[in-house]
Amino acid sequence: MKFWLCASVLALTVSAGAVSQKQKGANGKNELTLAAIQPGRDKLAGIEKQLNDRLRAESADSAGSHAWTDPCSGRRLSLEVDREGVIQTITISSSTSHENCKSKTDPKRDPFWSTGRGLHLGDAAEHVVDLYGAPSSGGPSVKQGHELELMFYMFDWAGSDVPQVMEVSCDQETGRVVEIMLAFPSL
């Protein structure tokens, strides 16, 4: 009898956990867009002209990879597309800006450098948690010699028709967001 009582309590706990995961979706803690682009839905052909009008296109390093930079701020936007031209992965990253260049747009108001929920390159790491909650996993990382703190979010609870993975990299020294990646369906 005690076994079944424990099993019932365990089942209720697991079921409550599943409900809280579904409630996460109801609270809108997942992310649908990055750089005003929705992976899994938007096609490269539909946004390429808009990107080319605002940013400098880099030469493609592989068939499915495309990138643009803002020569003034040093920020970079890269896209990976599938064979049908549907964008699968979006990455935005920051670099050092060029001092002799004055940008006409405020990066805090420019949707090219933020998520749909308002996370911008340069925001504090604490703001990531404020917007999305605790990450699914995370830890230290190194990219091109820079020590980073990686925050990894999985959105599989939100359904298979939305982006499934978001990675946010913060500079360990400054605690600021330096790169955001959003992928559909998953990595």
Side-chain angles (χ1 to χ4, degrees), residues 38-43 86-90 161-163 183-185:
Q38 186 170 357
R41 297 218 175 169
D42 291 339
K43 290 193 170 201
V86 177
I87 297 163
Q88 297 297 305
T89 304
I90 305 163
D161 60 337
V162 298
F184 177 92

Side-chain angles (χ1 to χ4, degrees), residues 8-22:
S8 296
V9 170
L10 179 63
L12 282 171
T13 304
V14 170
S15 140
V19 168
S20 81
Q21 283 293 80
K22 287 189 181 196

Side-chain angles (χ1 to χ4, degrees), residues 60-106:
D61 49 352
S62 70
S65 181
H66 305 271
W68 293 261
T69 55
D70 178 347
C72 192
S73 69
R75 292 178 172 190
R76 185 173 193 262
L77 182 144
S78 61
L79 305 173
E80 291 179 23
V81 299
D82 64 12
R83 291 183 180 151
E84 288 79 39
V86 177
I87 297 163
Q88 297 297 305
T89 304
I90 305 163
T91 305
I92 60 172
S93 56
S94 61
S95 182
T96 56
S97 61
H98 302 279
E99 293 179 21
N100 295 335
C101 188
K102 300 217 187 245
S103 178
K104 295 177 184 171
T105 59
D106 177 4

Side-chain angles (χ1 to χ4, degrees), residues 154-174:
M154 293 179 50
F155 302 132
D156 54 343
W157 52 265
S160 62
D161 60 337
V162 298
Q164 297 292 295
V165 175
M166 182 173 74
E167 288 181 7
V168 179
S169 299
C170 299
D171 183 279
Q172 276 193 344
E173 187 176 316
T174 64

Side-chain angles (χ1 to χ4, degrees), residues 117-166:
R117 292 185 58 76
L119 178 66
H120 295 84
L121 292 174
D123 282 351
E126 295 82 22
H127 189 57
V128 180
V129 177
D130 290 343
L131 288 173
Y132 300 101
S136 304
S137 65
S141 178
V142 176
K143 184 172 184 179
Q144 298 175 341
H146 293 98
E147 291 185 17
L148 304 171
E149 185 67 29
L150 178 67
M151 298 172 146
F152 186 78
Y153 290 87
M154 293 179 50
F155 302 132
D156 54 343
W157 52 265
S160 62
D161 60 337
V162 298
Q164 297 292 295
V165 175
M166 182 173 74

